PDB file of all heavy atoms in Angstrom:
ATOM      1  N   GLU J 186     -12.665  15.553  20.268  1.00  0.00           N
ATOM      2  CA  GLU J 186     -13.345  14.401  20.876  1.00  0.00           C
ATOM      3  C   GLU J 186     -14.804  14.329  20.462  1.00  0.00           C
ATOM      4  O   GLU J 186     -15.348  13.251  20.247  1.00  0.00           O
ATOM      5  CB  GLU J 186     -13.258  14.498  22.396  1.00  0.00           C
ATOM      6  CG  GLU J 186     -11.976  13.918  22.951  1.00  0.00           C
ATOM      7  CD  GLU J 186     -11.912  14.030  24.461  1.00  0.00           C
ATOM      8  OE1 GLU J 186     -12.142  15.143  24.994  1.00  0.00           O
ATOM      9  OE2 GLU J 186     -11.628  13.001  25.104  1.00  0.00           O
ATOM     10  N   GLU J 187     -15.434  15.503  20.353  1.00  0.00           N
ATOM     11  CA  GLU J 187     -16.874  15.512  20.090  1.00  0.00           C
ATOM     12  C   GLU J 187     -17.228  15.440  18.611  1.00  0.00           C
ATOM     13  O   GLU J 187     -18.211  14.805  18.244  1.00  0.00           O
ATOM     14  CB  GLU J 187     -17.498  16.785  20.688  1.00  0.00           C
ATOM     15  CG  GLU J 187     -17.682  16.668  22.192  1.00  0.00           C
ATOM     16  CD  GLU J 187     -17.834  18.030  22.865  1.00  0.00           C
ATOM     17  OE1 GLU J 187     -18.222  18.995  22.175  1.00  0.00           O
ATOM     18  OE2 GLU J 187     -17.539  18.112  24.073  1.00  0.00           O
ATOM     19  N   THR J 188     -16.442  16.108  17.790  1.00  0.00           N
ATOM     20  CA  THR J 188     -16.886  16.232  16.394  1.00  0.00           C
ATOM     21  C   THR J 188     -16.009  15.480  15.386  1.00  0.00           C
ATOM     22  O   THR J 188     -16.353  15.410  14.215  1.00  0.00           O
ATOM     23  CB  THR J 188     -16.964  17.716  15.959  1.00  0.00           C
ATOM     24  OG1 THR J 188     -15.650  18.258  15.945  1.00  0.00           O
ATOM     25  CG2 THR J 188     -17.828  18.525  16.911  1.00  0.00           C
ATOM     26  N   ILE J 189     -14.902  14.956  15.840  1.00  0.00           N
ATOM     27  CA  ILE J 189     -14.016  14.246  14.898  1.00  0.00           C
ATOM     28  C   ILE J 189     -13.973  12.741  15.198  1.00  0.00           C
ATOM     29  O   ILE J 189     -14.259  11.905  14.338  1.00  0.00           O
ATOM     30  CB  ILE J 189     -12.568  14.807  14.935  1.00  0.00           C
ATOM     31  CG1 ILE J 189     -12.552  16.331  14.794  1.00  0.00           C
ATOM     32  CG2 ILE J 189     -11.691  14.117  13.888  1.00  0.00           C
ATOM     33  CD1 ILE J 189     -12.921  16.887  13.455  1.00  0.00           C
ATOM     34  N   VAL J 190     -13.614  12.417  16.434  1.00  0.00           N
ATOM     35  CA  VAL J 190     -13.399  11.009  16.780  1.00  0.00           C
ATOM     36  C   VAL J 190     -14.601  10.109  16.420  1.00  0.00           C
ATOM     37  O   VAL J 190     -14.412   9.039  15.835  1.00  0.00           O
ATOM     38  CB  VAL J 190     -13.019  10.852  18.273  1.00  0.00           C
ATOM     39  CG1 VAL J 190     -12.891   9.381  18.648  1.00  0.00           C
ATOM     40  CG2 VAL J 190     -11.713  11.585  18.561  1.00  0.00           C
ATOM     41  N   PRO J 191     -15.845  10.538  16.721  1.00  0.00           N
ATOM     42  CA  PRO J 191     -16.966   9.633  16.410  1.00  0.00           C
ATOM     43  C   PRO J 191     -17.145   9.392  14.905  1.00  0.00           C
ATOM     44  O   PRO J 191     -17.854   8.466  14.515  1.00  0.00           O
ATOM     45  CB  PRO J 191     -18.194  10.372  16.960  1.00  0.00           C
ATOM     46  CG  PRO J 191     -17.664  11.422  17.875  1.00  0.00           C
ATOM     47  CD  PRO J 191     -16.309  11.781  17.368  1.00  0.00           C
ATOM     48  N   TYR J 192     -16.549  10.215  14.085  1.00  0.00           N
ATOM     49  CA  TYR J 192     -16.766  10.101  12.642  1.00  0.00           C
ATOM     50  C   TYR J 192     -15.509   9.615  11.931  1.00  0.00           C
ATOM     51  O   TYR J 192     -15.222   9.998  10.797  1.00  0.00           O
ATOM     52  CB  TYR J 192     -17.284  11.442  12.091  1.00  0.00           C
ATOM     53  CG  TYR J 192     -18.475  11.890  12.903  1.00  0.00           C
ATOM     54  CD1 TYR J 192     -18.402  12.995  13.742  1.00  0.00           C
ATOM     55  CD2 TYR J 192     -19.649  11.128  12.900  1.00  0.00           C
ATOM     56  CE1 TYR J 192     -19.480  13.344  14.544  1.00  0.00           C
ATOM     57  CE2 TYR J 192     -20.726  11.461  13.697  1.00  0.00           C
ATOM     58  CZ  TYR J 192     -20.631  12.567  14.520  1.00  0.00           C
ATOM     59  OH  TYR J 192     -21.686  12.902  15.327  1.00  0.00           O
ATOM     60  N   CYS J 193     -14.764   8.812  12.623  1.00  0.00           N
ATOM     61  CA  CYS J 193     -13.607   8.169  12.000  1.00  0.00           C
ATOM     62  C   CYS J 193     -13.980   6.741  11.623  1.00  0.00           C
ATOM     63  O   CYS J 193     -14.765   6.099  12.319  1.00  0.00           O
ATOM     64  CB  CYS J 193     -12.436   8.138  12.979  1.00  0.00           C
ATOM     65  SG  CYS J 193     -11.692   9.759  13.218  1.00  0.00           S
ATOM     66  N   SER J 194     -13.409   6.260  10.522  1.00  0.00           N
ATOM     67  CA  SER J 194     -13.581   4.860  10.156  1.00  0.00           C
ATOM     68  C   SER J 194     -12.618   4.044  10.992  1.00  0.00           C
ATOM     69  O   SER J 194     -11.435   4.382  11.076  1.00  0.00           O
ATOM     70  CB  SER J 194     -13.290   4.655   8.673  1.00  0.00           C
ATOM     71  OG  SER J 194     -14.299   5.285   7.931  1.00  0.00           O
ATOM     72  N   LYS J 195     -13.128   2.996  11.597  1.00  0.00           N
ATOM     73  CA  LYS J 195     -12.286   2.201  12.507  1.00  0.00           C
ATOM     74  C   LYS J 195     -11.456   1.194  11.710  1.00  0.00           C
ATOM     75  O   LYS J 195     -11.777   0.004  11.631  1.00  0.00           O
ATOM     76  CB  LYS J 195     -13.152   1.516  13.544  1.00  0.00           C
ATOM     77  CG  LYS J 195     -13.732   2.497  14.554  1.00  0.00           C
ATOM     78  CD  LYS J 195     -13.857   1.856  15.910  1.00  0.00           C
ATOM     79  CE  LYS J 195     -14.205   2.863  16.978  1.00  0.00           C
ATOM     80  NZ  LYS J 195     -15.585   2.759  17.445  1.00  0.00           N
ATOM     81  N   ILE J 196     -10.393   1.714  11.148  1.00  0.00           N
ATOM     82  CA  ILE J 196      -9.543   0.895  10.288  1.00  0.00           C
ATOM     83  C   ILE J 196      -8.915  -0.259  11.074  1.00  0.00           C
ATOM     84  O   ILE J 196      -8.677  -1.323  10.528  1.00  0.00           O
ATOM     85  CB  ILE J 196      -8.499   1.814   9.621  1.00  0.00           C
ATOM     86  CG1 ILE J 196      -9.203   2.594   8.503  1.00  0.00           C
ATOM     87  CG2 ILE J 196      -7.314   1.029   9.075  1.00  0.00           C
ATOM     88  CD1 ILE J 196      -8.447   3.767   7.976  1.00  0.00           C
ATOM     89  N   GLY J 197      -8.700  -0.060  12.342  1.00  0.00           N
ATOM     90  CA  GLY J 197      -8.106  -1.129  13.153  1.00  0.00           C
ATOM     91  C   GLY J 197      -9.121  -2.122  13.692  1.00  0.00           C
ATOM     92  O   GLY J 197      -8.741  -3.099  14.345  1.00  0.00           O
ATOM     93  N   ASN J 198     -10.405  -1.901  13.409  1.00  0.00           N
ATOM     94  CA  ASN J 198     -11.422  -2.853  13.873  1.00  0.00           C
ATOM     95  C   ASN J 198     -11.201  -4.216  13.209  1.00  0.00           C
ATOM     96  O   ASN J 198     -10.932  -4.277  12.007  1.00  0.00           O
ATOM     97  CB  ASN J 198     -12.811  -2.293  13.531  1.00  0.00           C
ATOM     98  CG  ASN J 198     -13.930  -3.146  14.101  1.00  0.00           C
ATOM     99  OD1 ASN J 198     -14.173  -4.254  13.622  1.00  0.00           O
ATOM    100  ND2 ASN J 198     -14.601  -2.647  15.111  1.00  0.00           N
ATOM    101  N   PRO J 199     -11.329  -5.301  13.987  1.00  0.00           N
ATOM    102  CA  PRO J 199     -11.043  -6.627  13.400  1.00  0.00           C
ATOM    103  C   PRO J 199     -11.955  -6.981  12.228  1.00  0.00           C
ATOM    104  O   PRO J 199     -11.619  -7.881  11.450  1.00  0.00           O
ATOM    105  CB  PRO J 199     -11.260  -7.590  14.566  1.00  0.00           C
ATOM    106  CG  PRO J 199     -11.956  -6.813  15.624  1.00  0.00           C
ATOM    107  CD  PRO J 199     -11.624  -5.371  15.421  1.00  0.00           C
ATOM    108  N   LYS J 200     -13.096  -6.275  12.102  1.00  0.00           N
ATOM    109  CA  LYS J 200     -13.989  -6.580  10.988  1.00  0.00           C
ATOM    110  C   LYS J 200     -13.919  -5.519   9.888  1.00  0.00           C
ATOM    111  O   LYS J 200     -14.795  -5.437   9.044  1.00  0.00           O
ATOM    112  CB  LYS J 200     -15.417  -6.774  11.498  1.00  0.00           C
ATOM    113  CG  LYS J 200     -15.547  -7.972  12.443  1.00  0.00           C
ATOM    114  CD  LYS J 200     -17.010  -8.335  12.646  1.00  0.00           C
ATOM    115  CE  LYS J 200     -17.225  -9.184  13.871  1.00  0.00           C
ATOM    116  NZ  LYS J 200     -17.058  -8.445  15.145  1.00  0.00           N
ATOM    117  N   PHE J 201     -12.867  -4.730   9.885  1.00  0.00           N
ATOM    118  CA  PHE J 201     -12.582  -3.852   8.744  1.00  0.00           C
ATOM    119  C   PHE J 201     -11.683  -4.650   7.812  1.00  0.00           C
ATOM    120  O   PHE J 201     -10.514  -4.905   8.102  1.00  0.00           O
ATOM    121  CB  PHE J 201     -11.877  -2.572   9.210  1.00  0.00           C
ATOM    122  CG  PHE J 201     -11.575  -1.595   8.095  1.00  0.00           C
ATOM    123  CD1 PHE J 201     -12.347  -0.461   7.911  1.00  0.00           C
ATOM    124  CD2 PHE J 201     -10.510  -1.813   7.219  1.00  0.00           C
ATOM    125  CE1 PHE J 201     -12.078   0.439   6.887  1.00  0.00           C
ATOM    126  CE2 PHE J 201     -10.240  -0.931   6.184  1.00  0.00           C
ATOM    127  CZ  PHE J 201     -11.021   0.202   6.023  1.00  0.00           C
ATOM    128  N   LEU J 202     -12.251  -5.066   6.659  1.00  0.00           N
ATOM    129  CA  LEU J 202     -11.506  -5.963   5.761  1.00  0.00           C
ATOM    130  C   LEU J 202     -11.571  -5.460   4.316  1.00  0.00           C
ATOM    131  O   LEU J 202     -11.833  -6.222   3.392  1.00  0.00           O
ATOM    132  CB  LEU J 202     -12.071  -7.382   5.867  1.00  0.00           C
ATOM    133  CG  LEU J 202     -11.994  -8.040   7.264  1.00  0.00           C
ATOM    134  CD1 LEU J 202     -12.806  -9.320   7.311  1.00  0.00           C
ATOM    135  CD2 LEU J 202     -10.557  -8.311   7.670  1.00  0.00           C
ATOM    136  N   SER J 203     -11.373  -4.157   4.165  1.00  0.00           N
ATOM    137  CA  SER J 203     -11.563  -3.558   2.846  1.00  0.00           C
ATOM    138  C   SER J 203     -10.264  -3.058   2.229  1.00  0.00           C
ATOM    139  O   SER J 203      -9.316  -2.735   2.942  1.00  0.00           O
ATOM    140  CB  SER J 203     -12.527  -2.383   2.958  1.00  0.00           C
ATOM    141  OG  SER J 203     -13.829  -2.870   3.075  1.00  0.00           O
TER     142      SER J 203
END
Side-chain angles (χ1 to χ4, degrees):
E186 275 180 310
E187 282 160 23
T188 66
I189 310 290
V190 176
Y192 308 111
C193 287
S194 291
K195 289 213 170 107
I196 284 165
N198 186 289
K200 297 194 198 72
F201 181 103
L202 299 169
S203 283

